[in-house]
Amino acid sequence: MSEQEIKVPDLGGADEVEIIEIIASEGDSVEEEDPILTVESDKASVELPAPLKGKITKITVKVGDKVSEGDVVGMMEVSGESGGSDESAGEEQEEEKAEEQAEAKSEESKPAPKKKSGGSRKETVKVPNLDGFDNVPVIEINVSEGDTIEADDPLVTVESDKATMEVPSPYAGKVEKILVKEGDKLSEGDDLLEMTIVEEGGEEEEAPSAPAKEEKAESKPAEKPKQEATPQPQGSTYEPPSPGAKVHAGPAVRKLARELGADLTRVKGSGPKGRIVKDDVQAYVKGQLQQAQQGGGVATGSGIPGVKLPDFSQFGEVERESMSRMMAATATNMQRSWLNVPHVTQFDEADITEMESFRKAQKAAGEKKGVKMTPLPFLLKACAAALAELPQFNVSLDMERKEVVRKKYIHIGIAVDTPHGLMVPVIRDVDQKGLWDLAAESAELAQKARDKQLKPAEMQGACFTITSLGGIGGTAFTPIVNTPEVAILGVSKAAMKPVWDGNEFQPRLMLPLSLSYDHRAVNGADAARFTNLLTQLLGDIRTLLL
Ligand code: COA
């Protein structure tokens, strides 16, 4: 074992190149040629490879540092039999040199300046010298047919085993026909695409310029479609794909993305100038996996075509405003639940005539306590009793692990209508609380919701939700299950109805109940049992005490 310095090889004459990514870490075992860091000159980004097989013991530079040939960037431990490091490093240097020389040549091999005659002409753009490499695969097409582009705009990105290079456009003009596709292997002189070049006047056209710098390409990304204020899937590394947008990433990152099947146009770069580094790819893939496991990916993974919006202004005056974060989050949650859960709604009616007289009789007591007794605490209590008796409603499904999660607690969410949107605070341990406590707590949480004072913890952990529109109106509705819960009770406005008692019709106050449930967790018979039980409990509230 011997320790030796890792030095920057010849960079083809380029001095003071910036380190844009450190790929290897201290302690990493590397093979000869494994990339250690990426540097970026104004021509290309190049990975500096390990000169030998061994273990990285120290990295002495950081992202943003500028290095030149011979600078020490770290130390590594190599085993004796690995052969002479100088020899190997020498080879690397040769390769790097060849790369830079080829680059210089590629400048020379650009089409000669052309005389402009005014008007327009067609040109077939050919592949320039690719750093001396042949058969280099196209990994990205950066333009589309019909695009109007400037000279130097990147046309395609190719990737040799040493570097990623953009082939810049030698002309400004319109892309007529793309003659290559991703995966094609290109060599110098191959036809790349056809362009129409618009010429102005008879002056000599500027010589086609040097290969596009990545930053330059980035400074004029393809115009992104105007984003609607739709919620973005979680994971800060996600960006909507921008057709034709430049991906700013080195070969190792591209390789990793290919191995993981990550679309780099969707990954947001955290490196200098938005460069995508390995961590970004890993974070993106992790985010996508988490989303898939949580049943997310509504916007991208449902496989359902999106709704195409017409230009509404053709029908009359319109104005657009951004959705609030809350509205966007609610929209995502609703869609996620609706798409993931096979919903069925069971309807029933509870005779709450006696319950209402009891409730109204509590008015004076309520005033003394400073608490208003509404039907909601009775509903909470009845639902808690039904959840205890029919525990198949107090579960969540873990489809990933094919497990049912049974909850030993009874926390119930209450949907609260607020000026800024729907909020669902959660009352904990409903089964252990009395009606007055529930009345006070639900009023307090509803007020907090309206005042935007709810803490995140106060909106988490529900087993079941009650959504009551009874104070507003309606006879029935089909609420959406608040996943990962498996059922929700919708309550509509109680109304006096004639009810047959076996001998005659009696005027009774009937409360409409709409129980939506996840049919994967709950079967129809159990749902009918659940609403049946609720009607019994609400019909004779003494049974709540049993
Ligand atoms: N039938 C008839 N009347 C009802 C009723 C019902 N099912 N539920 C409540 N009421 C009455 C109440 O008794 C009260 O009348 P009163 O003042 O004469 O006593 C009145 O309606 C208003 O009650 P409210 O203040 O709404 O209290 P609540 O405890 O019933 O409800 C909330 C509290 C937070 C649930 C309610 O204010 C709310 O926000 N509901 C909307 C929920 C929602 O938007 N759901 C849709 C989700 S998609």
Side-chain angles (χ1 to χ4, degrees):
M1 286 276 183
S2 67
E3 195 167 50
Q4 73 168 62
E5 293 173 332
I6 306 168
K7 287 187 179 172
V8 176
D10 178 6
L11 295 166
D15 249 357
E16 297 269 294
V17 290
E18 190 178 339
I19 295 176
I20 53 164
E21 189 183 2
I22 308 270
I23 300 168
S25 307
E26 290 178 4
D28 280 1
S29 293
V30 291
E31 295 292 323
E32 186 175 336
E33 299 238 352
D34 275 359
I36 293 189
L37 48 85
T38 311
V39 294
E40 188 175 64
S41 72
D42 58 353
K43 298 268 183 293
S45 57
V46 176
E47 285 171 353
L48 301 190
L52 287 170
K53 178 179 177 172
K55 189 172 165 189
I56 307 286
T57 52
K58 200 163 196 172
I59 300 281
T60 52
V61 287
K62 56 184 186 323
V63 169
D65 284 358
K66 301 235 161 110
V67 288
S68 301
E69 181 186 350
D71 285 353
V72 175
V73 295
M75 303 292 291
M76 68 184 294
E77 227 167 46
V78 292
S79 56
E81 69 263 28
S82 301
S85 63
D86 288 352
E87 201 182 296
S88 219
E91 270 173 32
E92 277 307 322
Q93 287 178 5
E94 282 306 307
E95 275 161 13
E96 298 285 340
K97 203 169 182 174
E99 201 171 292
E100 290 300 324
Q101 281 167 351
E103 206 152 61
K105 251 194 269 159
S106 97
E107 298 229 359
E108 289 157 21
S109 66
K110 279 174 206 139
K114 303 210 181 224
K115 287 275 177 198
K116 283 185 177 177
S117 54
S120 65
R121 65 187 159 85
K122 284 234 159 75
E123 276 288 342
T124 301
V125 177
K126 294 190 181 290
V127 176
N129 182 300
L130 297 170
D131 286 4
F133 290 100
D134 266 350
N135 286 325
V136 188
V138 176
I139 56 163
E140 203 175 343
I141 311 265
N142 306 107
V143 290
S144 306
E145 288 175 3
D147 281 1
T148 301
I149 57 169
E150 300 292 325
D152 280 356
D153 277 358
L155 299 174
V156 297
T157 308
V158 295
E159 187 177 70
S160 74
D161 54 356
K162 290 275 172 291
T164 306
M165 290 165 277
E166 287 170 350
V167 176
S169 175
Y171 315 107
K174 187 172 166 200
V175 177
E176 297 295 348
K177 192 161 187 198
I178 297 172
L179 305 171
V180 295
K181 55 184 186 322
E182 275 180 26
D184 282 1
K185 297 199 168 155
L186 300 185
S187 301
E188 184 178 357
D190 288 350
D191 288 350
L192 198 57
L193 48 81
E194 287 168 6
M195 285 182 73
T196 301
I197 296 143
V198 182
E199 294 164 348
E200 300 152 18
E203 281 170 39
E204 190 168 278
E205 196 179 318
E206 258 185 33
S209 49
K213 296 174 196 173
E214 288 191 306
E215 311 89 280
K216 184 163 186 183
E218 282 193 334
S219 68
K220 32 181 175 172
E223 204 175 290
K224 288 186 185 182
K226 194 172 178 250
Q227 290 292 308
E228 300 286 332
T230 43
Q232 292 301 330
Q234 64 213 69
S236 59
T237 56
Y238 175 87
E239 271 206 339
S242 319
K246 171 78 191 66
V247 170
H248 194 34
V253 173
R254 289 176 187 274
K255 186 164 173 259
L256 177 71
R258 272 202 307 277
E259 282 166 4
L260 297 175
D263 175 358
L264 282 178
T265 62
R266 291 173 183 266
V267 179
K268 190 172 174 185
S270 66
K273 301 165 201 153
R275 188 178 185 79
I276 300 169
V277 295
K278 279 187 171 175
D279 281 352
D280 298 330
V281 177
Q282 277 153 351
Y284 168 76
V285 171
K286 198 173 161 194
Q288 293 293 303
L289 279 173
Q290 278 170 351
Q291 231 181 289
Q293 281 159 13
Q294 289 160 10
V298 161
T300 56
S302 65
I304 296 171
V307 177
K308 221 172 164 193
L309 296 182
D311 173 11
F312 296 105
S313 64
Q314 64 184 303
F315 310 119
E317 195 187 330
V318 290
E319 66 176 27
R320 280 176 173 262
E321 69 176 273
S322 293
M323 288 187 196
S324 65
R325 274 179 54 203
M326 203 171 118
M327 184 178 177
T330 304
T332 303
N333 288 339
M334 289 292 178
Q335 193 178 10
R336 179 186 295 148
S337 294
W338 199 79
L339 285 172
N340 279 289
V341 173
H343 278 79
V344 180
T345 307
Q346 170 74 30
F347 301 102
D348 211 334
E349 278 183 329
D351 182 340
I352 58 164
T353 317
E354 320 301 347
M355 184 195 101
E356 274 299 89
S357 12
F358 174 76
R359 184 180 74 85
K360 288 198 172 127
Q362 305 310 310
K363 202 169 172 209
E367 275 165 11
K368 244 192 199 161
K369 288 177 187 283
V371 180
K372 185 176 168 192
M373 183 67 81
T374 66
L376 188 60
F378 296 90
L379 290 163
L380 283 162
K381 215 58 202 156
C383 287
L387 286 169
E389 187 142 339
L390 295 164
Q392 58 271 49
F393 284 83
N394 195 5
V395 302
S396 286
L397 301 183
D398 185 340
M399 296 307 291
E400 185 75 11
R401 293 163 64 167
K402 299 279 181 294
E403 285 174 2
V404 177
V405 183
R406 299 195 186 285
K407 295 156 196 175
K408 309 286 181 196
Y409 49 85
I410 298 180
H411 304 338
I412 298 180
I414 47 170
V416 179
D417 179 36
T418 77
H420 32 272
L422 177 71
M423 304 197 85
V424 188
V426 179
I427 302 184
R428 302 194 124 65
D429 302 313
V430 175
D431 52 325
Q432 295 165 35
K433 291 177 179 164
L435 288 170
W436 287 116
D437 288 341
L438 293 172
E441 196 172 339
S442 52
E444 188 193 326
L445 287 173
Q447 194 52 48
K448 269 183 154 178
R450 292 182 191 112
D451 296 343
K452 285 190 174 177
Q453 294 295 319
L454 284 175
K455 299 192 184 81
E458 290 173 313
M459 292 183 279
Q460 290 165 1
C463 311
F464 181 88
T465 295
I466 297 176
T467 173
S468 172
L469 296 177
I472 305 169
T475 53
F477 62 110
T478 54
I480 294 177
V481 172
N482 194 12
T483 46
E485 298 156 34
V486 297
I488 181 168
L489 181 72
V491 182
S492 297
K493 192 175 177 66
M496 291 302 287
K497 288 192 176 176
V499 177
W500 186 251
D501 69 358
N503 294 313
E504 54 186 342
F505 282 107
Q506 297 286 348
R508 305 295 292 178
L509 186 61
M510 303 304 289
L511 180 71
L513 304 174
S514 310
L515 178 78
S516 289
Y517 57 94
D518 182 340
H519 209 347
R520 295 172 305 174
V522 172
N523 63 41
D526 286 338
R529 282 184 196 108
F530 194 94
T531 52
N532 210 20
L533 183 54
L534 286 182
T535 62
Q536 283 171 28
L537 294 165
L538 295 169
D540 184 351
I541 53 169
R542 291 171 306 177
T543 51
L544 283 173
L545 301 171
L546 298 176

